[in-house]
């Protein structure tokens, strides 16, 4: 039975209250380290349809999971209707060799809300066939009763729609459910959330959470959620149930599900997954209005390559002064302004740059960049945590990312950017940063580690620029040296004239 | 003989599900199979004939949430 220290799931006692998803890791090694660091004793897994034989990746994945020595909870992701979910559960039992099944019966494609009727029907049948069913359900009290009657001894109520990033969207309802079924283990899924919702927790021994942290964007969580006092696996016990789902990178909040890839080709559920690739793209987000309106825009969005000289400005009204001089690559870094003002400035900048044949990079405001037709986005490490990189890619924008350390470089590379910026190369007074100047040797070392363009930034003057380029930077980003010059136009003209004369340092290059 | 593998039409000479799994180069010990929407356990594949137009599904482990 469940105690303060252990959770009893169909007779299997686990100490960790955290179940880990296994999808979307940058590499098998990331998954392995995530399992080890989290202390998770249970991981969720899925089935894919095979179109040809010899799926080495699937075999390798399964071998990896077995080697980890954790319990697996297979799901019926993507299934519509009881019959399909039952069939998939039977196949999962044979493949994974466990009676456990996370039963998902999708009722609504936009939110992936479970179908309560199909869920009860499938749960009844599977329990009768000896399965130990973990039903993915809404937070409905009567549904909980029906599922318990069907034979379920664990419930998996949703915190919010999968992919919505809303964490525990209705803690009141979950609280009612907790009180309604005392003693029944509740595993909340998905439970990934932002800071505001992280604070909510139940002090209940019978509650746990299931989540796939989003470190496609952050290679490994720096602050892995450990129960208080816990440092190692044995200590990762049940001291604070349901509270540590989410100190990893939160996903952005959305109106509804963001699981565009589900159901997708290759996933177990539904005939719709196999007919062609088009249903995968016809998923939830397409109904979203503004996004679908934008989707044709992708091909007309002007995309150009990085220029050796990369100017960063803080207002759009610099552009009418600079564009006529031949500026080819400019970033708008708009800080501390209301969203409406930001959008107005970006819209104007897009129009001005397009007319002048200049490439515009929007710093941070990625959604505005998508909506307003900017060709590039630049994200800092903090922005990257919040941004929807998949959406940025979907609409054909190029992406640059700031880095200051090896760890940040690793994080940046995990999203396959079009350039990385390293800074500050020299001391800069513009931003308060915890980073010491990187120096030219670091520029060279960075360039040696990547096979994408490198932008040097921070304290670079026209006089220092040849050295930065020689050390390996493909582009030099500048703010103060132009904007704070006595005559910004004159200084810019000097930069534009000089940039073609820079040469690589052959000694460094070799 | 024309059958459907995971939604895609394909040709096969195999006459049983077990033979088809091998002929299509799946690892029989790792995958799970279904025929016309019904699960077919590993041990029953050898006794399960397949016919023109059958819908065969073959599943294997993958990452999931």
């Amino acid at each position: 039975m469940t105690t303060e220290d252990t959770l009893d799931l169909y007779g299997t006692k686990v100490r960790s209250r955290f179940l880990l998803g296994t999808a979307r890791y940058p590499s098998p090694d990331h998954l392995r380290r995530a399992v080890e660091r989290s202390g998770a004793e249970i991981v969720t897994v899925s089935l894919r349809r095979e179109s040809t034989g010899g799926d080495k990746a699937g075999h390798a994945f399964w071998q990896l999971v077995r080697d980890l020595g954790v319990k697996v909870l297979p799901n019926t992701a993507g299934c519509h209707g009881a019959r399909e979910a039952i069939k998939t559960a039977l196949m999962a039992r044979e493949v994974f060799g466990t009676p456990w099944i996370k039963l998902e019966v999708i009722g609504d494609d936009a939110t992936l809300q479970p179908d309560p009727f199909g869920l009860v029907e499938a749960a009844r049948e599977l329990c009768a066939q000896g399965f130990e069913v973990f039903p993915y359900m809404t937070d409905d009290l009567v549904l909980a009763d029906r599922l318990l009657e069907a034979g379920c001894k664990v419930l998996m109520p949703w915190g919010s729609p999968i992919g919505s990033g809303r964490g525990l969207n209705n803690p009141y309802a979950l609280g009612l459910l907790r009180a309604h079924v005392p003693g029944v283990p509740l595993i909340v899924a998905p439970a990934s959330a932002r800071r505001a919702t992280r604070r909510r927790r139940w002090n209940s021994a019978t509650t746990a959470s299931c989540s796939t942290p989003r470190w496609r964007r952050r290679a490994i969580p720096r602050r892995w959620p450990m129960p208080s006092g816990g440092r190692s696996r044995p200590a990762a016990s049940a001291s604070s149930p349901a509270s540590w789902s989410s100190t990893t990178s939160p996903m952005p909040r959305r109106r509804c599900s963001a699981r565009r890839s589900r159901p997708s080709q290759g996933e177990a559920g539904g005939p719709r997954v196999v007919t062609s690739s088009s249903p995968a793209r016809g998923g939830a987000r397409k109904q979203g209005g503004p996004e679908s309106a934008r989707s044709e825009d992708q091909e007309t969005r002007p995309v150009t390559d990085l220029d050796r000289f990369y100017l960063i400005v803080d207002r759009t009204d610099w552009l009418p002064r600079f564009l006529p001089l031949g500026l080819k690559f400019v970033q708008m870094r708009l800080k501390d302004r209301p969203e409406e003002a930001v959008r107005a400035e970006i819209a104007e900048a897009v129009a001005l740059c397009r007319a002048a044949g200049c490439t515009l990079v929007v710093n941070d405001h990625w959604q505005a960049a998508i909506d307003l037709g900017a060709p590039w986005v630049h994200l800092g490490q903090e922005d990257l945590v919040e941004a929807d990189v998949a959406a940025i890619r979907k609409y054909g924008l190029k992406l640059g990312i700031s880095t200051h350390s090896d760890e940040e470089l690793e994080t940046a590379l995990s999203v396959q950017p079009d350039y990385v910026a390293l800074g500050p190369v020299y001391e800069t007074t513009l931003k308060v940063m915890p980073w010491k100047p990187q120096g030219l040797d670091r520029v060279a070392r960075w360039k040696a580690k990547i096979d994408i363009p490198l932008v040097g930034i921070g304290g670079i003057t026209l006089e220092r620029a040849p050295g930065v380029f020689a050390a390996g930077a493909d582009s030099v980003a500048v703010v103060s040296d132009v904007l704070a010059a006595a005559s910004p136009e004159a200084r810019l003209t000097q930069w534009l004239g000089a940039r073609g004369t820079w040469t690589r340092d052959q000694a460094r290059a070799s | 003989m024309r059958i459907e593998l995971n939604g895609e039409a394909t040709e096969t000479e195999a006459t049983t599900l077990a033979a088809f799994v091998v002929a299509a180069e799946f690892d029989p010990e790792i995958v799970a199979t279904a025929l016309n929407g019904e699960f077919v356990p590993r041990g029953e594949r050898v006794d399960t004939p397949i016919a023109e137009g059958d819908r065969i599904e073959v599943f294997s482990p993958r990452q999931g949430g």
Side-chain angles (χ1 to χ4, degrees):
Chain A
M1 85 178 254
T2 291
T3 67
E4 282 297 315
D5 291 329
T6 60
L7 191 64
D8 186 334
L9 305 172
Y10 290 99
T12 297
K13 291 184 172 52
V14 295
R15 294 173 62 85
S16 170
R17 302 304 175 94
F18 185 62
L19 284 72
L20 196 60
T22 54
R24 298 182 172 187
Y25 290 80
S27 73
D29 191 53
H30 284 90
L31 170 59
R32 183 183 57 74
R33 284 189 286 160
V35 171
E36 289 172 357
R37 284 204 204 175
S38 68
E41 293 167 65
I42 300 169
V43 299
T44 51
V45 294
S46 193
L47 286 175
R48 68 174 291 118
R49 288 165 182 258
E50 292 289 0
S51 53
T52 58
D55 172 27
K56 298 290 185 293
H59 296 188
F61 164 70
W62 182 217
Q63 188 59 47
L64 169 70
V65 170
R66 276 186 291 197
D67 291 346
L68 287 169
V70 290
K71 296 171 187 69
V72 296
L73 175 59
N75 66 27
T76 61
C79 288
H80 293 67
R83 189 157 173 270
E84 189 186 356
I86 291 166
K87 176 194 72 186
T88 303
L90 287 163
M91 296 171 93
R93 180 163 66 177
E94 185 173 86
V95 166
F96 294 108
T98 174
W100 282 9
I101 191 76
K102 180 186 174 192
L103 183 60
E104 293 186 42
V105 183
I106 292 173
D108 174 62
D109 280 334
T111 59
L112 301 177
Q113 178 178 321
D115 166 6
F117 308 99
L119 189 64
V120 172
E121 182 186 344
R124 188 175 293 124
E125 173 66 24
L126 290 172
C127 288
Q129 292 199 33
F131 279 86
E132 295 173 353
V133 178
F134 296 59
Y136 174 61
M137 57 180 287
T138 57
D139 48 26
D140 189 286
L141 304 183
V142 182
L143 175 58
D145 290 339
R146 295 288 183 273
L147 288 166
L148 295 177
E149 285 166 20
C152 298
K153 293 182 166 55
V154 176
L155 300 175
M156 292 189 81
W158 69 354
S160 52
I162 293 166
S164 68
R166 287 172 179 271
L168 305 181
N169 200 39
N170 193 346
Y172 173 70
L174 285 171
L176 288 179
L177 179 62
R178 177 65 290 167
H180 186 68
V181 291
V184 176
L186 294 183
I187 301 171
V188 180
S192 136
R194 290 166 170 264
R195 286 184 195 86
T197 47
R198 279 177 206 158
R199 298 193 193 99
R200 304 189 197 283
R201 56 187 69 174
W202 296 276
N203 291 315
S204 162
T206 48
T207 309
S209 64
C210 178
S211 175
T212 303
R214 304 256 299 184
W215 53 64
R216 293 177 290 153
R217 307 202 179 134
R218 172 174 293 174
I220 270 289
R222 270 169 279 191
R223 292 178 296 124
W224 183 271
M226 276 293 176
S228 53
R231 282 208 190 83
S232 62
R233 190 176 189 128
S237 67
S239 55
S240 55
S243 63
W244 57 97
S245 61
S246 55
T247 36
T248 52
S249 315
M251 66 175 79
R253 287 164 70 99
R254 297 184 172 89
R255 275 186 62 239
C256 63
S257 163
R259 202 158 60 168
R260 269 162 294 164
S261 62
R262 180 180 284 192
S264 71
Q265 188 153 27
E267 208 147 73
R272 69 193 70 204
V273 301
V274 292
T275 47
S276 78
S277 60
S278 55
R281 283 190 239 113
R285 293 290 293 266
K286 254 213 155 161
Q287 300 162 7
E291 290 221 351
S292 49
R294 289 224 59 83
S295 58
E296 284 91 39
D297 213 53
Q298 198 167 320
E299 285 168 18
T300 59
R301 191 180 292 273
V303 171
T304 47
D305 292 331
L306 200 59
D307 190 89
R308 284 183 172 194
F309 174 65
Y310 185 163
L311 184 65
I312 300 173
V313 300
D314 57 355
R315 301 191 309 272
T316 301
D317 59 15
W318 287 109
L319 296 180
R321 297 168 62 179
F322 292 159
L323 292 173
L325 302 174
L327 181 62
K328 289 295 164 210
F329 207 86
V330 67
Q331 181 187 120
M332 296 286 301
R333 189 154 74 189
L334 306 167
K335 297 290 181 192
D336 306 320
R337 251 167 285 183
E339 181 70 14
E340 271 182 36
V342 164
R343 284 188 170 251
E345 291 222 25
I346 292 173
E348 189 184 352
V350 166
L352 289 169
C353 287
R354 189 170 281 175
C358 176
T359 299
L360 176 67
V361 183
V362 172
N363 187 307
D364 187 9
H365 299 277
W366 57 272
Q367 186 68 58
I370 291 172
D371 295 344
L372 299 169
W376 278 78
V377 168
H378 181 93
L379 299 174
Q381 294 277 323
E382 292 301 314
D383 307 329
L384 183 59
V385 170
E386 302 283 329
D388 185 343
V389 174
I392 292 167
R393 294 303 190 192
K394 180 180 172 188
Y395 293 107
L397 279 76
K398 290 202 178 191
L399 175 63
I401 295 176
S402 299
T403 66
H404 307 89
S405 66
D406 287 295
E407 186 187 8
E408 291 189 358
L409 180 61
E410 189 185 341
T411 302
L413 294 177
S414 72
V415 299
Q416 300 177 310
D418 297 287
Y419 71 73
V420 293
L422 171 67
V425 178
Y426 295 97
E427 200 158 344
T428 175
T429 52
L430 203 63
K431 290 168 106 178
V432 180
M433 280 204 230
W435 311 99
K436 282 190 292 193
Q438 309 276 359
L440 295 182
D441 287 342
R442 199 82 186 275
V443 172
R445 188 160 77 77
W446 240 235
K447 184 61 186 173
K449 290 171 79 154
I450 62 177
D451 54 7
I452 55 173
L454 176 65
V455 175
I457 185 169
I460 302 175
T461 60
L462 182 58
E463 293 71 28
R464 285 167 165 170
V468 179
F469 186 84
D474 299 283
S475 177
V476 171
V478 171
V479 187
S480 306
D481 194 64
V482 171
L483 301 192
S487 166
E489 284 89 344
R491 191 62 167 172
L492 176 62
T493 302
Q494 287 181 311
W495 273 99
L496 294 173
R499 74 190 197 279
T501 67
W502 303 335
T503 54
R504 278 276 189 275
D505 185 336
Q506 290 307 316
R508 281 182 190 276
S510 62
Chain B
M1 177 172 72
R2 201 167 176 78
I3 57 102
E4 206 177 82
L5 171 62
N6 292 336
E8 289 174 14
T10 186
E11 291 286 334
T12 184
E13 303 295 314
T15 54
T16 67
L17 191 53
F20 174 79
V21 166
V22 172
E25 299 184 340
F26 294 113
D27 183 338
E29 296 306 312
I30 286 188
V31 299
T33 52
L35 180 64
N36 297 324
E38 299 294 333
F39 169 62
V40 179
R42 199 166 284 152
E44 294 177 16
R45 288 177 203 153
V46 70
D47 298 320
T48 304
I50 55 174
E52 178 83 23
D54 274 353
R55 288 178 293 114
I56 297 173
E57 291 165 275
V58 179
F59 287 11
S60 72
R62 63 166 272 171
Q63 298 91 330

